[in-house]
Amino acid sequence: MSATTAPSASTDACGAAAGIGTDDLPAESRDAAIGRLEQELGGVIGRIRASWRDAAAQVHPDLQPLGYQVLVAIASGKATSATAIVDRLQTDKSAVSRHVRQLEDLGLVESRPDADDRRARVLAATDTARERLALARRRYQTRMGERLTHWSVDDLGRVSDLLRDLAR
């Protein structure tokens, strides 16, 4: 699909435009295209990891990229317990526990009793963490905006839709 093609009305589970068969390409061409996609995704993942490393350092010099992701999950309100963070980030419970402990030691996260279940604890980002995250996010968005300035809103939406389908 080219950058100037109008978005299709529907896509299949792989994100292929309806009406465009996946069998239309010879197997070796399809394999090469999938290989190229994997290579390009590897480059994107590498850039994302570097961005997380930079953002983590902006929040606190001792914070590691996974700790940054834990903090983002907590601050967003989408994961306020260790179990929820493990599920959201698909990572090891012991690693999450270490990072939560570090975030508490750095004054970036607080653990409070759960209002619904006094035996449970709820994690919350501190005001300091929210301020530092906002600054790191603004810097990241500025860099990303500069890289994507020539992309149309339709192209951004199309790529987002394709990546969502790929992640399923």
Side-chain angles (χ1 to χ4, degrees):
M1 185 178 333
S2 75
T4 58
T5 305
S8 66
S10 64
T11 58
D12 67 14
C14 295
I20 299 175
T22 56
D23 296 328
D24 293 347
L25 295 173
E28 59 274 1
S29 296
R30 182 167 177 72
D31 290 345
I34 290 171
R36 179 169 179 228
L37 176 62
E38 289 173 338
Q39 182 177 3
E40 297 303 333
L41 283 173
V44 169
I45 290 167
R47 179 156 306 276
I48 290 169
R49 285 184 176 154
S51 294
W52 287 343
R53 190 174 43 251
D54 292 345
Q58 289 172 12
V59 171
H60 193 282
D62 296 333
L63 192 59
Q64 296 176 359
L66 181 57
Y68 173 77
Q69 287 302 303
V70 169
L71 180 58
V72 167
I74 294 167
S76 72
K78 295 178 182 174
T80 57
S81 70
T83 302
I85 295 167
V86 167
D87 290 344
R88 181 160 180 80
L89 299 181
Q90 295 294 299
T91 192
D92 183 66
K93 185 175 182 177
S94 63
V96 168
S97 294
R98 277 192 310 275
H99 287 287
V100 167
R101 202 168 30 257
Q102 180 192 33
L103 290 167
E104 288 176 318
D105 292 346
L106 295 174
L108 300 172
V109 167
E110 299 172 336
S111 176
R112 304 174 183 152
D114 187 333
D116 298 328
D117 180 358
R118 295 305 236 178
R119 296 168 296 171
R121 306 292 289 173
V122 175
L123 300 169
T126 63
D127 291 340
T128 299
R130 290 184 187 288
E131 290 168 11
R132 292 179 185 180
L133 282 172
L135 178 60
R137 185 78 184 136
R138 278 193 302 275
R139 289 179 181 169
Y140 174 77
Q141 287 176 328
T142 298
R143 285 192 310 269
M144 188 68 121
E146 289 168 357
R147 296 183 73 81
L148 299 174
T149 191
H150 66 281
W151 289 34
S152 72
V153 172
D154 287 342
D155 286 346
L156 291 168
R158 191 173 306 109
V159 169
S160 297
D161 290 345
L162 291 169
L163 288 173
R164 181 197 59 234
D165 288 347
L166 181 62
R168 289 184 183 167

